[in-house]
Amino acid sequence: MASLNKVFLLGNLTRDPDLRGLPSGQSVCELRLAVSRRFVTAGGQESEDTCFVDVVVWGRSANNCKQFLAKGSQVLVEGRLQLDQWEDRNGGGQRSRLRVVAEQVQFMNRRNSDGGQSGSAPEAGAGQYYAPRSEGDYQPPRPQYGPRSEGAYGGRPARREAPPEAPPMPEAGAGDDAMVDDIPF
């Protein structure tokens, strides 16, 4: 039986990131994300529905979230759903909550030098941090490089060779008798 647990969320932080250190030395950061959906009701009125989602980020990405994000920051989170269950301390019975464990957090805006938020998106590749695949060590993804092209990576241009020439086509009427058609139609 196949299954898939993947979540993509784009929203704004409702509070500053909460960073904690575990006794093992691992960092964990909790985010609260507001994700809005706009729609038109049956009566033709525009309406907005907001969903608040708890997100947990582990490792180096947790430190980056604390350093670069603040209340109101827009982030794109890729992760998986996790159900937490526990017994209530006050005898309230079994409690549970659903949250997102971030595998990748991309910062959609960044702070200015004075600490305020910039409205423009960062340059390509900036602000993109990868969370660990599990609560273990941080392992960044491997870079994917394409084939070497002219001037790629500061090297000499790639040597280009002429493609091989196709054999000449026989002239019409020359040896048509010798050609056998093996196509069945």
Side-chain angles (χ1 to χ4, degrees):
M1 180 162 104
S3 63
L4 176 66
N5 185 357
K6 195 66 148 176
V7 176
F8 292 92
L9 297 171
L10 176 64
N12 294 5
L13 297 184
T14 62
R15 62 178 184 233
D16 288 339
D18 180 25
L19 180 69
R20 291 180 287 127
L22 300 178
S24 65
Q26 184 80 333
S27 299
V28 60
C29 186
E30 293 186 6
L31 309 174
R32 179 90 167 156
L33 199 61
V35 181
S36 297
R37 176 179 76 99
R38 294 183 183 174
F39 59 96
V40 178
T41 63
Q45 294 181 344
E46 288 188 15
S47 185
E48 184 173 315
D49 181 29
T50 303
C51 180
F52 298 96
V53 182
D54 291 322
V55 178
V56 64
V57 185
W58 291 90
R60 186 171 146 195
S61 293
N63 295 327
N64 290 332
C65 286
K66 178 64 176 175
Q67 181 179 357
F68 294 107
L69 297 177
K71 179 179 179 179
S73 297
Q74 188 176 41
V75 295
L76 175 66
V77 175
E78 177 184 344
R80 60 183 168 83
L81 290 175
Q82 179 180 9
L83 180 65
D84 293 332
Q85 296 179 335
W86 67 95
E87 198 67 37
D88 192 322
R89 284 185 269 180
N90 301 328
Q94 185 78 11
R95 305 271 316 219
S96 64
R97 74 173 173 179
L98 197 60
R99 66 180 179 173
V100 174
V101 177
E103 294 172 355
Q104 180 178 344
V105 178
Q106 185 170 350
F107 307 156
M108 302 308 287
N109 54 15
R110 58 183 171 167
R111 293 184 184 180
N112 293 331
S113 58
D114 62 352
Q117 292 293 323
S118 166
S120 62
E123 60 275 359
Q128 185 169 356
Y129 295 97
Y130 294 89
R133 296 270 182 230
S134 66
E135 287 77 11
D137 294 327
Y138 172 79
Q139 295 179 353
R142 293 182 176 171
Q144 297 178 358
Y145 299 106
R148 183 178 172 150
S149 61
E150 219 170 289
Y153 314 115
R156 292 187 346 202
R159 177 176 279 160
R160 298 192 187 265
E161 297 178 11
E165 290 188 27
M169 295 293 292
E171 292 182 20
D176 285 341
D177 304 342
M179 296 183 95
V180 176
D181 187 8
D182 59 350
I183 301 175
F185 54 89

